[in-house]
Amino acid sequence: MRKPKVNRMVLAMCLCCFIMVIFYFHSNLKPASAQGSRRSSGQGKSGRSPLQMLYDSDQLEQSAVQVTHQGRRELLEDACHSYTLKRRVLIPEDLKHVIVDDQHGLLYCYVPKVACTNWKRVLMVLTGAAGPHRDPLDIPANEAHVPGNLRTLSEYSTSQINQRLRSYLKFVFVREPFERLVSAYRNKFTRSYNTAFHKRYGTKIIRRHRPDPQAKALERGDDVSFEEFVYYLVDPATQREEPFNEHWERVHSLCHPCLIHYDVVGKYETLEQDSRYVLQLAGVKGQVTFPTSAKNTRTTGDMAAQFFHNISPFYQKKLYNLYRMDFLLFNYSTPEYLKFP
């Protein structure tokens, strides 16, 4: 009768040793994991991450800026519930425009023609990708767009993506859709130095949407009118062939605001104020300043109205329908200069 008892004692001792080994490895791995978590959460000098800074401040007496941004978050959430019928799971392809700053716990979805060059410059300074440069404006514009200077969320593993989406401050900057569209047209089709866009898109647009084009125009593609650009955008064949270029792609297709819960929705119309707010939340307000741009070169609502003057109500309506979700999600009114009912 003693043998079964001895066997039970040996078995109990083995089980105890096994549990102790597991505990040993767990206790040795946990600090490294926690330390990595602290590093990746982007905690500043206060010991709080930008996301904690945002939602801690929401519990206190709010400033006018905080009230504005809370209102934008709520409007976006309501619009997503009202106008998005189907929800789907994010895939890495959706995250190619989301730039990661692991040091400060930031995720920034860049939208071309909404100050994205300056935001990339700022993030290059913050992440150390700018080298010795401490002033964002010292970084050439073309260098800010070099692939590889800044990491995007699509480059991470699924678990790393989920951890960053949960714990980092997520922000995006948006703009009145038609002002952004006119700005893209002016920059890419009316500037002589943008020969790559003229060849890549201008020649195609002229070939398809200009009756009896001249041979020179077909070769160079450097005199696309705004009307021809609109015809190209609303032509169903355009998106059947390939996705829109990022400079005129809709914001909701670039940044997926109904799948990613953005904590800050900055607007081009309040760019300086909103940029200061993000840098304040990141705890780097004294380390880097968001560059101010020359307002006399900006595309305004009056300028956009001039470009739309020669667009027929029929094509105005088709174009509005194309960009309708951006108007609705980000609370932009239908422009008064549009002539469709």
Side-chain angles (χ1 to χ4, degrees), residues 225-244:
S225 70
F226 185 66
E227 292 96 319
E228 291 167 337
F229 181 51
V230 170
Y231 299 156
Y232 164 77
L233 293 173
V234 301
D235 182 353
T238 299
Q239 287 193 81
R240 281 203 301 267
E241 287 182 355
E242 60 181 349
F244 276 167

Side-chain angles (χ1 to χ4, degrees), residues 84-328:
T84 305
L85 298 177
K86 293 181 180 179
R87 292 294 182 98
R88 62 177 181 80
V89 176
L90 282 167
I91 59 173
E93 185 73 20
D94 299 327
L95 305 172
K96 288 186 173 181
H97 271 245
V98 180
I99 293 173
V100 181
D101 176 359
D102 279 323
Q103 295 179 42
H104 300 93
L106 301 173
L107 296 178
Y108 161 59
C109 187
Y110 74 90
V111 179
K113 309 312 300 176
V114 193
C116 77
T117 301
N118 281 340
W119 263 114
K120 287 181 179 181
R121 286 166 162 159
V122 167
L123 288 168
M124 285 179 69
V125 171
L126 291 178
T127 59
H133 298 306
R134 303 311 302 163
D135 182 351
L137 288 178
D138 289 341
I139 304 169
N142 62 328
E143 191 175 324
H145 298 293
V146 173
N149 278 342
L150 295 164
R151 293 191 72 182
T152 63
L153 196 55
S154 60
E155 300 172 38
Y156 291 77
S157 70
T158 301
S159 62
Q160 292 172 327
I161 289 170
N162 289 334
Q163 186 269 328
R164 283 158 178 77
L165 286 172
R166 283 194 306 269
S167 60
Y168 284 16
L169 182 83
K170 301 168 288 298
F171 69 100
V172 61
F173 275 74
V174 300
R175 185 177 185 179
E176 201 279 340
F178 283 172
E179 289 180 27
R180 174 176 171 250
L181 187 65
V182 170
S183 178
Y185 166 76
R186 291 177 64 212
N187 180 252
K188 300 305 176 188
F189 294 106
T190 69
R191 304 285 192 267
S192 59
Y193 55 78
N194 266 324
T195 53
F197 270 81
H198 301 160
K199 289 282 188 181
R200 174 75 175 81
Y201 296 100
T203 54
K204 181 188 294 185
I205 292 171
I206 290 170
R207 185 171 63 251
R208 288 188 177 178
H209 301 288
R210 182 178 299 179
D212 303 318
Q214 299 293 315
K216 182 180 176 182
L218 286 170
E219 180 187 351
R220 297 175 61 172
D222 60 355
D223 64 343
V224 172
S225 70
F226 185 66
E227 292 96 319
E228 291 167 337
F229 181 51
V230 170
Y231 299 156
Y232 164 77
L233 293 173
V234 301
D235 182 353
T238 299
Q239 287 193 81
R240 281 203 301 267
E241 287 182 355
E242 60 181 349
F244 276 167
N245 180 275
E246 62 178 12
H247 291 84
W248 48 85
E249 179 60 281
R250 286 71 53 93
V251 176
H252 74 270
S253 295
L254 292 175
C255 295
H256 309 283
C258 293
L259 299 177
I260 299 173
H261 176 78
Y262 287 98
D263 306 293
V264 176
V265 178
K267 293 202 170 186
Y268 193 73
E269 295 79 13
T270 50
L271 177 62
E272 286 78 13
Q273 174 183 288
D274 294 344
S275 298
R276 283 196 303 270
Y277 182 55
V278 172
L279 295 177
Q280 178 186 336
L281 291 171
V284 297
K285 197 175 177 184
Q287 300 175 36
V288 64
T289 302
F290 189 84
T292 55
S293 56
K295 293 186 178 182
N296 60 339
T297 62
R298 289 184 178 183
T299 299
T300 63
D302 290 340
M303 195 180 294
Q306 294 174 14
F307 278 87
F308 274 84
H309 182 71
N310 293 325
I311 307 297
S312 71
F314 175 77
Y315 281 102
Q316 286 184 5
K317 179 68 171 177
K318 287 177 76 74
L319 192 68
Y320 177 80
N321 287 338
L322 197 60
Y323 288 86
R324 177 174 173 268
M325 282 300 292
D326 280 0
F327 279 99
L328 295 172

